[in-house]
Amino acid sequence: MAKHTIARCATWYPLVDDRRDVNRRRLTAHKAAASIRSARRQPGTVVDAVHVYATTDRDGTPLYVGYVHYTPGYWTGVTDVVDVYEIPTDALTDL
């Protein structure tokens, strides 16, 4: 039996014009990974950079940080939009 019955949550931080939305959003690790994979399939006119980094948080817990940068001008009324996902490694291995 798995140690955890509920997968740990990932966190999504949308950044618009270098301002982080104060309401970070929790989502499942599966949804966060699917969002990153979906961004990778977008054409260069929508997404111009997708990166995933393996790192640790301040407490030493391993996690992945996903970075999705949208092409300037894709969103109306703003110049820069970035999605940052923090996915605990345990959440991915618990799936």
Side-chain angles (χ1 to χ4, degrees), residues 19 24 26 37 42 47-48 59-60 77-78 80 87 90-91:
R19 290 177 298 196
R24 67 182 184 208
R26 299 266 183 200
R37 281 192 302 271
Q42 296 297 321
V47 174
D48 63 358
D59 299 327
V78 296
D80 195 37
I87 308 168
D90 288 349

Side-chain angles (χ1 to χ4, degrees), residues 1-8 90-91 93-95:
M1 184 164 177
K3 189 163 90 171
H4 302 286
T5 57
I6 299 173
R8 294 189 179 103
D90 288 349
T93 57
D94 286 347
L95 295 176

Side-chain angles (χ1 to χ4, degrees), residues 22-46:
V22 294
N23 297 320
R24 67 182 184 208
R25 293 160 180 96
R26 299 266 183 200
L27 59 155
T28 64
H30 177 73
K31 178 66 177 167
S35 297
I36 294 167
R37 281 192 302 271
S38 175
R40 283 188 172 141
R41 291 189 299 267
Q42 296 297 321
T45 56
V46 177

